[in-house]
Amino acid sequence: MYVLHAPWRMAYINQSSSEKIDCIFCAFTKEDNDEKRLILYRGKRAFVMMNAFPYNTGHLMVAPYRHCGDYDDLDGEELLEINELVQRCIKLLKKVMAPHGFNIGINMGKVAGAGFEGHVHVHIVPRWEGDTNFMPVIGETKVIPEALDVTYRKLKEAWEG
């Protein structure tokens, strides 16, 4: 029997759907603890953070500082900076992790899969050929092969370098 240990997932699993969860995008940027909150970069109108419950290793998110739920309500300066940061994230991930492709998207609204529907954000998910195998299909388990703190340090160093 194989045992897969992913202790960081427990925080996600234990979240009650009835719990009120503050907006992580607003709360985390008010703190001065970027490494703990996985914030890689703070721009003028938007920032980049890693997803603590990633779909794949290196899963990044770009969000505006302003609490805004709809992409079409972002102003021109927010749109420009968010899209420039998405492009910079792609370049960073290509350099550090050499993925074969990307899924890039926005989940607007709860029915679209938004975990934090009140704060629009862009997901950048690096993909590798063969990263979908029997584990998520049969075992309903996604294997993230690298610890979040290790990935954070690699990406942060490359971002600042």
Side-chain angles (χ1 to χ4, degrees):
M1 174 192 301
Y2 295 99
V3 177
L4 175 66
H5 293 276
W8 59 86
R9 295 290 297 169
M10 213 55 214
Y12 181 77
I13 292 165
N14 286 334
Q15 278 180 195
S16 166
S17 60
S18 62
E19 275 181 59
K20 173 153 177 18
I21 300 170
D22 290 332
C23 175
I24 61 167
F25 302 103
C26 292
F28 290 4
T29 56
K30 290 177 184 165
E31 297 177 14
D32 185 23
N33 202 348
D34 287 359
E35 186 170 354
K36 178 182 177 187
R37 296 308 188 185
L38 303 173
I39 296 172
L40 288 173
Y41 176 78
R42 292 174 181 259
K44 184 177 177 185
R45 297 190 175 276
F47 64 98
V48 178
M49 69 185 291
M50 290 177 55
N51 191 323
F53 305 105
Y55 296 119
N56 236 348
T57 303
H59 180 168
L60 302 178
M61 299 181 293
V62 178
Y65 291 110
R66 183 168 65 96
H67 190 79
C68 174
D70 291 324
Y71 189 79
D72 52 325
D73 288 337
L74 294 171
D75 67 37
E77 290 178 349
E78 289 167 325
L79 284 168
L80 178 60
E81 186 169 351
I82 287 167
N83 284 291
E84 287 173 342
L85 288 174
V86 168
Q87 182 183 49
R88 190 167 170 192
C89 287
I90 293 166
K91 289 178 181 181
L92 173 76
L93 291 165
K94 282 181 176 180
K95 176 182 173 185
V96 175
M97 306 183 100
H100 300 130
F102 294 90
N103 289 120
I104 300 167
I106 301 164
N107 301 331
M108 230 171 68
K110 190 172 187 111
V111 298
F116 293 93
E117 63 182 310
H119 201 128
V120 68
H121 52 284
V122 181
H123 292 267
I124 303 104
V125 182
R127 301 300 306 267
W128 290 269
E129 200 165 313
D131 69 9
T132 300
N133 55 34
F134 75 94
M135 287 294 286
V137 177
I138 305 295
E140 296 182 4
T141 303
K142 177 69 177 166
V143 178
I144 304 296
E146 186 171 68
L148 288 172
D149 61 329
V150 173
T151 305
Y152 178 85
R153 284 191 297 276
K154 284 181 185 177
L155 295 175
K156 184 72 169 171
E157 181 181 309
W159 190 286
E160 293 175 347

